[in-house]
Amino acid sequence: MQREKEMWQTPQTLQQLLCKVVSWESRTGTQGEIDFSYKIKEELMKLTYFKHQPDYIQFVDAGKQRNTVTALYKHPQATRTIVLISHFDTVHTAEFGDLGDLAFQPESLTAAFKENDVALPQDAKIDLYTDEYLFGRGTMDMKMGLCLHMQLLEKASLHNWPINLLLVTVPDEEVNSAGMRAAATALNQLRDQWQLHYDLFLNSEPSFSQVPQDDNYYIYSGTIGKIMPAALFYGRETHAGEPLNGLTGHYMASYLTKAMEFNACFEESAFGEKTPRPICLQQKDLKVDYSAQTSHHSAALYNVFLFEQNAAQVMATFKEIATEAMAACQRDYENICKATNVTPIGTIRVMTYDALLQYANETLGEKKVQMIKNTGLNNTNDERDQAIQICDQLLLHCSELAPATILFFAPPYYPAVNSSENTFIQEKIALAKATLADTYKVTAKQIHYFNGICDLSYVNYDANDQGWHVYQQNTPVWGESYDIPFTDMQQLQAPVLNIGPFGKDAHKISERLHKKSAFIYTPHVLETVIKSMF
């Protein structure tokens, strides 16, 4: 019997696959992202295994015409299953300038940089001339991870591995993770459909630098969380010539932003690692046009990283900080009024979105409130702006509450996940480190929380946590344009692990992939880890 021809099992053919997959540009929010799922299905269908069992490849609707792709290799006697997770969207490429046409052509781009390397930083120039790196958007983050998983599917089908592999590759990881949020629900359905038992969620995001010029190789036993507490500052308008007859949103915002940025109250430590401190990601004026009328409403979004905190704890801390900040704002404002013999316009309220919504429903009626929310939703397509607009529109119709600061959550939310204390994961990390050291003289280090944000956040959610209800109640766009399947995530109770190729400078013009790590080292490590589960 003639042996089936291998497609992606050598370093050379794996590099060819990567270059093909990268060439299918799939920037988040573009037609390329929509088309990619069909192209990857077509590529997977070249495997004899899927030609005979095409129903093992399925699409999951991720919204906006995008699809998550699942592809199952199923051994007839196996129930143990490894879920291979990747994302196929990339960030945009404006920074490539005149080289934009080559951003998705790794070999051509690498050659072009050798002709003219002026756009590259010095460390990237050094790497360029070693011939050890392949440049291009998506090479590192993270189409190589997807290609590694495709290689594993092929090898499992060729050699009849006695385990199940479920490839899950998703769109939209770079913005809202709509693809993985949809996948969380689908994973439960697929488990029941095919009688699977999930033993491991294995991502292959690349090894990210911890600091600039970091050449260490990392294996990750968890992923950092991210949540975005936000605030609408709604004061009172006035003429610029009579400033103390009103209160600007900017004046109010300055107090909370100063209190939030770098605030140690949110800093967490675990396994010798620390979360970065909060910072303001966006502060915006909601006044539409210029005039001598003051801007009485503005908004700010704050980035908070997480290890163990849940949404309820974050909101409690945020409200405490905001209450103190607005009290300071009130004191300073009243002192100015007193010094200038002006009567203050009122006292600043601090309210959660949940409290505002309850007040609006009682005052205006639920039907009217839904119409107001729809106005906010229809004003923009961006989920963060929609959340701001809903709060702003509600305050417009409940202006008796002003001046007020409304506290809410804006998307996205990535819960932290960690499996560092799981004995199974400890064994697999030790095996991976030994394989790299013994075979390739590569020293790998364990990081307990992947610092780049990844889709592992949507599996293995704490089955006992109820803090997510506070997120649901205080996210204005919940159930409208954004939600998270927490109950489905709580059913996905297998440990997480991230083993991917080494690369540098994700999201930069100098994004590059270490070729030996990608095409030789990591394939061997992944195969060794998986075979150890037979």
Side-chain angles (χ1 to χ4, degrees), residues 290-362:
Y290 171 80
S291 73
Q293 184 189 57
T294 60
S295 179
H296 66 283
H297 52 164
S298 64
L301 309 179
Y302 304 102
N303 188 87
V304 173
F305 285 113
L306 312 168
F307 281 168
E308 297 178 352
Q309 291 188 87
N310 62 26
Q313 293 166 319
V314 170
M315 181 54 79
T317 304
F318 185 44
K319 186 175 181 180
E320 183 179 339
I321 292 169
T323 300
E324 292 177 358
M326 291 304 102
C329 177
Q330 185 77 34
R331 285 195 302 271
D332 290 349
Y333 165 68
E334 289 182 353
N335 287 336
I336 295 170
C337 289
K338 184 177 180 180
T340 54
N341 199 29
V342 172
T343 302
I345 62 167
T347 301
I348 301 170
R349 301 172 191 263
V350 177
M351 301 175 67
T352 62
Y353 171 75
D354 186 35
L356 170 64
L357 185 62
Q358 182 177 338
Y359 177 89
N361 281 330
E362 292 172 355

Coordinates of all heavy atoms in Angstrom, one line a residue, residues 290-362:
Y290 N -16.9 72.9 18.1 CA -16.3 74.0 18.8 C -17.3 75.1 19.0 O -18.0 75.4 18.1 CB -15.1 74.5 18.1 CG -14.5 75.8 18.7 CD1 -13.7 75.8 19.8 CD2 -14.9 77.0 18.2 CE1 -13.3 76.9 20.4 CE2 -14.5 78.2 18.8 CZ -13.7 78.2 19.9 OH -13.3 79.3 20.5
S291 N -17.3 75.6 20.2 CA -18.1 76.8 20.5 C -17.6 77.4 21.9 O -16.7 76.7 22.5 CB -19.6 76.5 20.6 OG -19.9 75.8 21.8
A292 N -18.1 78.5 22.3 CA -17.7 79.1 23.5 C -18.4 78.4 24.7 O -18.1 78.8 25.9 CB -18.0 80.6 23.5
Q293 N -19.3 77.5 24.4 CA -19.9 76.7 25.5 C -18.9 75.7 26.0 O -18.2 75.0 25.2 CB -21.2 75.9 25.0 CG -21.9 75.2 26.1 CD -23.0 74.3 25.5 OE1 -22.7 73.4 24.7 NE2 -24.2 74.5 25.9
T294 N -18.8 75.5 27.3 CA -17.9 74.6 27.9 C -18.3 73.1 27.6 O -19.5 72.9 27.4 CB -17.7 74.8 29.4 OG1 -19.0 74.6 30.0 CG2 -17.2 76.2 29.7
S295 N -17.3 72.2 27.6 CA -17.6 70.8 27.4 C -18.0 70.2 28.8 O -17.1 70.1 29.6 CB -16.4 70.1 26.8 OG -16.7 68.7 26.6
H296 N -19.2 69.8 29.0 CA -19.7 69.3 30.3 C -19.6 67.8 30.4 O -19.9 67.3 31.4 CB -21.1 69.8 30.6 CG -22.1 69.3 29.6 ND1 -22.3 69.7 28.3 CD2 -23.0 68.3 29.8 CE1 -23.3 69.1 27.7 NE2 -23.7 68.2 28.6
H297 N -19.3 67.1 29.3 CA -19.3 65.7 29.3 C -18.0 65.1 28.6 O -17.7 65.5 27.5 CB -20.5 65.0 28.8 CG -21.0 65.5 27.5 ND1 -21.9 64.8 26.7 CD2 -20.6 66.5 26.7 CE1 -22.1 65.4 25.6 NE2 -21.3 66.5 25.5
S298 N -17.4 64.2 29.3 CA -16.2 63.6 28.7 C -16.2 62.1 29.3 O -17.0 61.8 30.2 CB -14.9 64.3 29.1 OG -14.7 64.3 30.5
A299 N -15.2 61.3 28.8 CA -15.1 59.9 29.2 C -13.7 59.5 29.2 O -12.8 60.1 28.5 CB -16.0 59.0 28.3
A300 N -13.4 58.5 30.0 CA -12.1 57.9 30.1 C -12.1 56.4 30.3 O -13.0 55.9 31.0 CB -11.3 58.5 31.3
L301 N -11.2 55.7 29.6 CA -11.1 54.3 29.7 C -9.8 53.9 30.4 O -8.7 54.4 29.9 CB -11.2 53.6 28.3 CG -12.3 54.0 27.4 CD1 -12.2 53.3 26.1 CD2 -13.6 53.7 28.1
Y302 N -9.8 53.1 31.4 CA -8.6 52.7 32.1 C -8.2 51.2 32.0 O -9.1 50.4 32.1 CB -8.8 53.0 33.6 CG -9.1 54.5 33.8 CD1 -10.4 54.8 34.1 CD2 -8.2 55.5 33.8 CE1 -10.8 56.2 34.3 CE2 -8.5 56.8 34.0 CZ -9.8 57.2 34.3 OH -10.2 58.5 34.5
N303 N -7.0 51.0 31.7 CA -6.5 49.6 31.5 C -6.1 49.0 32.8 O -5.2 49.6 33.5 CB -5.4 49.5 30.5 CG -5.0 48.1 30.1 OD1 -5.6 47.5 29.2 ND2 -4.1 47.5 30.8
V304 N -6.7 47.9 33.3 CA -6.3 47.2 34.5 C -5.9 45.8 34.2 O -6.7 45.1 33.6 CB -7.4 47.3 35.6 CG1 -7.0 46.4 36.8 CG2 -7.6 48.7 36.0
F305 N -4.7 45.4 34.5 CA -4.3 44.0 34.3 C -4.6 43.2 35.6 O -4.6 43.7 36.7 CB -2.8 43.9 34.0 CG -2.4 44.3 32.6 CD1 -1.7 45.5 32.4 CD2 -2.9 43.6 31.5 CE1 -1.4 45.8 31.1 CE2 -2.5 43.9 30.2 CZ -1.8 45.1 30.0
L306 N -4.9 41.9 35.4 CA -5.3 41.0 36.5 C -4.5 39.7 36.5 O -4.1 39.2 35.5 CB -6.8 40.6 36.2 CG -7.8 41.7 35.9 CD1 -9.1 41.1 35.4 CD2 -8.0 42.6 37.1
F307 N -4.4 39.2 37.7 CA -3.9 37.8 38.0 C -5.1 37.0 38.6 O -5.5 36.0 38.1 CB -2.7 37.8 38.9 CG -1.4 38.1 38.3 CD1 -0.3 38.4 39.0 CD2 -1.3 38.2 36.9 CE1 1.0 38.6 38.5 CE2 0.0 38.4 36.3 CZ 1.1 38.7 37.1
E308 N -5.5 37.5 39.8 CA -6.5 36.8 40.5 C -7.8 37.5 40.8 O -8.9 37.0 41.1 CB -6.0 36.3 41.9 CG -4.8 35.4 41.7 CD -4.2 35.0 43.1 OE1 -4.6 35.5 44.1 OE2 -3.3 34.1 43.1
Q309 N -7.8 38.8 40.6 CA -9.0 39.6 40.8 C -10.1 39.3 39.8 O -9.8 39.1 38.6 CB -8.7 41.1 40.8 CG -7.8 41.6 41.9 CD -7.7 43.1 41.9 OE1 -8.5 43.9 42.4 NE2 -6.7 43.6 41.2
N310 N -11.4 39.4 40.3 CA -12.5 39.3 39.3 C -13.1 40.7 39.1 O -12.7 41.7 39.7 CB -13.5 38.3 39.8 CG -14.1 38.6 41.2 OD1 -14.2 39.8 41.5 ND2 -14.6 37.6 41.9
A311 N -14.2 40.7 38.3 CA -14.8 42.0 38.0 C -15.4 42.7 39.2 O -15.3 43.9 39.3 CB -15.8 41.8 36.9
A312 N -16.0 41.9 40.1 CA -16.6 42.5 41.3 C -15.6 43.2 42.1 O -15.8 44.4 42.6 CB -17.3 41.5 42.1
Q313 N -14.4 42.6 42.3 CA -13.4 43.2 43.1 C -12.8 44.5 42.4 O -12.5 45.5 43.1 CB -12.2 42.2 43.3 CG -12.7 41.0 44.2 CD -11.7 39.9 44.2 OE1 -11.2 39.5 43.1 NE2 -11.5 39.2 45.3
V314 N -12.6 44.4 41.1 CA -12.1 45.6 40.4 C -13.1 46.8 40.5 O -12.7 47.9 40.8 CB -11.9 45.2 38.9 CG1 -11.6 46.5 38.1 CG2 -10.7 44.3 38.8
M315 N -14.4 46.5 40.3 CA -15.4 47.6 40.4 C -15.4 48.2 41.8 O -15.6 49.4 42.0 CB -16.8 47.1 40.0 CG -17.9 48.1 40.0 SD -17.5 49.7 39.1 CE -17.9 49.1 37.4
A316 N -15.3 47.3 42.9 CA -15.3 47.8 44.2 C -14.2 48.8 44.5 O -14.3 49.9 45.1 CB -15.3 46.7 45.2
T317 N -13.0 48.4 44.0 CA -11.8 49.3 44.2 C -11.9 50.5 43.3 O -11.6 51.6 43.8 CB -10.5 48.5 43.8 OG1 -10.4 47.3 44.5 CG2 -9.3 49.3 44.0
F318 N -12.4 50.4 42.1 CA -12.6 51.5 41.2 C -13.6 52.5 41.8 O -13.3 53.7 41.8 CB -13.1 51.0 39.9 CG -13.2 52.0 38.8 CD1 -12.2 53.0 38.6 CD2 -14.3 52.0 38.0 CE1 -12.3 53.9 37.5 CE2 -14.5 53.0 36.9 CZ -13.5 53.9 36.7
K319 N -14.6 52.0 42.4 CA -15.6 52.9 43.0 C -15.1 53.7 44.2 O -15.3 54.9 44.4 CB -16.9 52.1 43.4 CG -18.0 53.0 43.9 CD -19.3 52.2 44.2 CE -20.4 53.2 44.6 NZ -21.6 52.4 44.9
E320 N -14.3 53.0 45.0 CA -13.6 53.6 46.1 C -12.7 54.7 45.7 O -12.7 55.8 46.2 CB -12.9 52.6 46.9 CG -12.3 53.1 48.2 CD -11.5 52.0 49.0 OE1 -11.9 50.8 48.8 OE2 -10.7 52.4 49.8
I321 N -11.9 54.4 44.7 CA -10.9 55.4 44.2 C -11.7 56.6 43.5 O -11.3 57.8 43.8 CB -10.0 54.8 43.1 CG1 -9.1 53.8 43.8 CG2 -9.2 55.8 42.4 CD1 -8.3 52.9 42.9
A322 N -12.7 56.3 42.8 CA -13.5 57.4 42.1 C -14.2 58.3 43.1 O -14.3 59.5 43.0 CB -14.5 56.8 41.1
T323 N -14.7 57.6 44.2 CA -15.4 58.4 45.2 C -14.5 59.4 45.9 O -14.8 60.6 46.1 CB -16.0 57.5 46.3 OG1 -17.0 56.6 45.6 CG2 -16.7 58.2 47.4
E324 N -13.3 58.9 46.2 CA -12.3 59.8 46.8 C -11.8 60.9 45.8 O -11.6 62.0 46.2 CB -11.0 59.0 47.2 CG -11.4 58.0 48.4 CD -10.2 57.1 48.8 OE1 -9.1 57.3 48.1 OE2 -10.3 56.3 49.7
A325 N -11.7 60.5 44.6 CA -11.2 61.5 43.5 C -12.3 62.6 43.3 O -11.9 63.8 43.2 CB -10.9 60.8 42.2
M326 N -13.5 62.2 43.3 CA -14.6 63.2 43.1 C -14.8 64.1 44.3 O -15.1 65.2 44.2 CB -15.9 62.5 42.7 CG -15.9 61.9 41.3 SD -15.4 63.1 40.0 CE -13.7 62.6 39.7
A327 N -14.5 63.5 45.5 CA -14.5 64.3 46.7 C -13.5 65.4 46.7 O -13.7 66.5 47.1 CB -14.4 63.4 48.0
A328 N -12.3 65.0 46.2 CA -11.2 66.0 46.1 C -11.5 67.0 45.1 O -11.3 68.2 45.3 CB -9.9 65.3 45.7
C329 N -12.1 66.6 44.0 CA -12.6 67.5 42.9 C -13.6 68.5 43.5 O -13.5 69.7 43.3 CB -13.2 66.8 41.8 SG -13.8 67.8 40.4
Q330 N -14.5 68.0 44.3 CA -15.6 68.8 44.9 C -15.0 69.8 45.8 O -15.4 71.0 45.8 CB -16.6 67.9 45.6 CG -17.8 68.6 46.2 CD -18.8 69.0 45.1 OE1 -19.0 68.3 44.2 NE2 -19.4 70.1 45.3
R331 N -14.1 69.4 46.7 CA -13.4 70.3 47.6 C -12.7 71.5 46.9 O -12.9 72.6 47.3 CB -12.4 69.6 48.5 CG -13.1 68.7 49.6 CD -12.0 68.2 50.6 NE -10.9 67.5 50.0 CZ -10.9 66.2 49.8 NH1 -12.0 65.5 50.2 NH2 -9.9 65.6 49.3
D332 N -11.9 71.1 45.9 CA -11.2 72.1 45.2 C -12.1 73.1 44.5 O -11.9 74.3 44.5 CB -10.2 71.5 44.2 CG -9.1 70.8 44.9 OD1 -8.9 71.0 46.1 OD2 -8.3 70.0 44.2
Y333 N -13.1 72.6 43.9 CA -14.1 73.4 43.2 C -14.8 74.3 44.1 O -15.0 75.5 43.9 CB -15.1 72.5 42.4 CG -16.4 73.2 42.0 CD1 -16.3 74.1 40.9 CD2 -17.6 72.9 42.5 CE1 -17.5 74.7 40.5 CE2 -18.7 73.5 42.1 CZ -18.7 74.4 41.1 OH -19.8 75.1 40.6
E334 N -15.3 73.8 45.3 CA -16.0 74.7 46.2 C -15.0 75.7 46.8 O -15.5 76.9 47.1 CB -16.6 73.8 47.4 CG -17.7 72.9 46.9 CD -18.3 72.1 48.0 OE1 -17.8 72.1 49.1 OE2 -19.4 71.5 47.8
N335 N -13.8 75.4 47.0 CA -12.8 76.4 47.5 C -12.7 77.6 46.6 O -12.6 78.7 47.0 CB -11.5 75.8 47.8 CG -11.5 74.9 49.1 OD1 -12.4 75.1 50.0 ND2 -10.6 73.9 49.2
I336 N -12.6 77.2 45.3 CA -12.5 78.2 44.2 C -13.8 79.1 44.2 O -13.7 80.3 44.1 CB -12.3 77.6 42.8 CG1 -10.9 76.9 42.8 CG2 -12.3 78.7 41.7 CD1 -10.7 76.0 41.6
C337 N -14.9 78.4 44.3 CA -16.2 79.2 44.4 C -16.3 80.1 45.6 O -16.7 81.3 45.5 CB -17.4 78.2 44.4 SG -17.7 77.3 42.9
K338 N -15.8 79.6 46.7 CA -15.9 80.4 47.9 C -14.9 81.6 47.8 O -15.3 82.8 48.2 CB -15.4 79.6 49.1 CG -15.5 80.3 50.5 CD -15.1 79.4 51.6 CE -15.1 80.1 52.9 NZ -14.8 79.2 54.1
A339 N -13.8 81.4 47.2 CA -12.8 82.5 47.0 C -13.3 83.6 46.1 O -12.9 84.7 46.1 CB -11.5 81.9 46.6
T340 N -14.2 83.2 45.2 CA -14.7 84.1 44.1 C -16.1 84.5 44.4 O -16.8 85.1 43.5 CB -14.5 83.5 42.7 OG1 -15.1 82.2 42.7 CG2 -13.0 83.4 42.4
N341 N -16.7 84.1 45.5 CA -18.0 84.5 45.9 C -19.1 84.0 44.9 O -20.0 84.7 44.5 CB -18.1 86.0 46.1 CG -19.3 86.4 46.9 OD1 -19.8 85.6 47.8 ND2 -19.9 87.5 46.7
V342 N -18.9 82.7 44.5 CA -19.8 82.1 43.6 C -20.5 80.9 44.3 O -19.8 80.2 45.0 CB -19.1 81.6 42.3 CG1 -20.1 80.8 41.4 CG2 -18.6 82.8 41.5
T343 N -21.8 80.7 44.0 CA -22.4 79.5 44.6 C -22.2 78.3 43.8 O -22.4 78.3 42.6 CB -24.0 79.8 44.7 OG1 -24.2 80.9 45.4 CG2 -24.7 78.6 45.3
P344 N -21.7 77.2 44.4 CA -21.4 75.9 43.7 C -22.7 75.4 43.1 O -23.8 75.6 43.6 CB -20.9 75.0 44.8 CG -20.4 75.9 45.9 CD -21.3 77.1 45.9
I345 N -22.6 74.7 42.0 CA -23.7 74.2 41.2 C -24.3 73.0 41.8 O -25.4 72.6 41.5 CB -23.4 74.0 39.7 CG1 -22.3 72.9 39.6 CG2 -23.0 75.3 39.1 CD1 -22.2 72.3 38.2
G346 N -23.6 72.3 42.7 CA -24.1 71.0 43.3 C -23.0 70.1 43.7 O -21.8 70.5 43.6
T347 N -23.3 69.0 44.1 CA -22.4 68.0 44.6 C -22.3 66.8 43.6 O -23.3 66.3 43.1 CB -22.8 67.4 46.0 OG1 -22.9 68.5 46.9 CG2 -21.8 66.4 46.5
I348 N -21.0 66.4 43.3 CA -20.8 65.4 42.3 C -21.2 64.0 42.9 O -20.8 63.6 43.9 CB -19.3 65.3 41.9 CG1 -18.9 66.7 41.3 CG2 -19.1 64.2 40.9 CD1 -17.4 66.8 41.1
R349 N -22.1 63.4 42.1 CA -22.5 62.0 42.5 C -21.6 61.0 41.8 O -21.1 61.2 40.7 CB -23.9 61.7 42.0 CG -25.0 62.6 42.4 CD -26.3 62.2 41.7 NE -27.4 63.2 41.9 CZ -28.3 63.1 42.8 NH1 -28.4 62.0 43.5 NH2 -29.3 64.0 42.9
V350 N -21.4 59.9 42.5 CA -20.6 58.8 41.9 C -21.6 57.6 41.9 O -22.0 57.1 42.9 CB -19.3 58.4 42.7 CG1 -18.6 57.2 42.1 CG2 -18.4 59.6 42.7
M351 N -21.9 57.1 40.7 CA -22.8 56.0 40.5 C -22.3 55.0 39.6 O -21.5 55.3 38.6 CB -24.1 56.5 39.9 CG -24.9 57.6 40.7 SD -26.3 58.2 39.8 CE -27.4 56.8 39.8
T352 N -22.6 53.7 39.8 CA -22.3 52.7 38.9 C -23.3 52.7 37.7 O -24.4 53.2 37.9 CB -22.3 51.3 39.5 OG1 -23.7 51.0 40.0 CG2 -21.3 51.2 40.6
Y353 N -23.0 52.1 36.6 CA -23.9 52.0 35.5 C -25.2 51.3 35.9 O -26.3 51.7 35.6 CB -23.3 51.4 34.3 CG -24.3 51.1 33.2 CD1 -24.8 52.1 32.4 CD2 -24.8 49.8 33.0 CE1 -25.7 51.8 31.4 CE2 -25.8 49.5 32.0 CZ -26.2 50.6 31.2 OH -27.2 50.3 30.3
D354 N -25.0 50.2 36.7 CA -26.2 49.5 37.2 C -27.2 50.4 38.0 O -28.4 50.3 37.8 CB -25.7 48.3 38.1 CG -26.8 47.4 38.5 OD1 -27.7 47.1 37.7 OD2 -26.7 46.9 39.6
A355 N -26.6 51.2 38.8 CA -27.5 52.1 39.6 C -28.2 53.2 38.7 O -29.3 53.5 38.8 CB -26.7 52.8 40.7
L356 N -27.4 53.7 37.7 CA -28.0 54.6 36.7 C -29.1 54.0 35.9 O -30.2 54.6 35.7 CB -26.9 55.1 35.8 CG -27.4 55.9 34.6 CD1 -28.0 57.2 35.0 CD2 -26.2 56.2 33.6
L357 N -28.9 52.8 35.5 CA -29.9 52.1 34.7 C -31.2 51.8 35.5 O -32.3 52.0 35.0 CB -29.3 50.7 34.2 CG -30.2 49.9 33.2 CD1 -30.5 50.7 31.9 CD2 -29.6 48.6 32.9
Q358 N -31.0 51.4 36.7 CA -32.1 51.2 37.6 C -32.9 52.5 37.8 O -34.2 52.5 37.7 CB -31.7 50.7 38.9 CG -32.8 50.4 39.9 CD -32.3 49.8 41.2 OE1 -31.3 49.2 41.3 NE2 -33.1 49.9 42.3
Y359 N -32.2 53.6 38.0 CA -32.9 54.9 38.2 C -33.6 55.3 36.9 O -34.8 55.8 37.0 CB -31.8 56.0 38.5 CG -32.4 57.4 38.6 CD1 -32.8 57.9 39.9 CD2 -32.4 58.2 37.5 CE1 -33.4 59.1 40.0 CE2 -32.9 59.5 37.6 CZ -33.4 60.0 38.8 OH -33.9 61.2 38.9
A360 N -33.0 55.1 35.8 CA -33.6 55.5 34.5 C -34.8 54.6 34.2 O -35.9 55.2 33.8 CB -32.6 55.3 33.3
N361 N -34.8 53.4 34.5 CA -35.9 52.5 34.3 C -37.1 52.9 35.2 O -38.3 52.9 34.7 CB -35.6 51.0 34.6 CG -34.8 50.4 33.4 OD1 -35.0 50.7 32.3 ND2 -34.0 49.4 33.8
E362 N -36.8 53.3 36.4 CA -37.9 53.7 37.3 C -38.4 55.1 36.9 O -39.6 55.3 37.1 CB -37.3 53.7 38.7 CG -37.0 52.4 39.3 CD -36.3 52.5 40.6 OE1 -35.9 53.6 41.1 OE2 -36.0 51.4 41.3

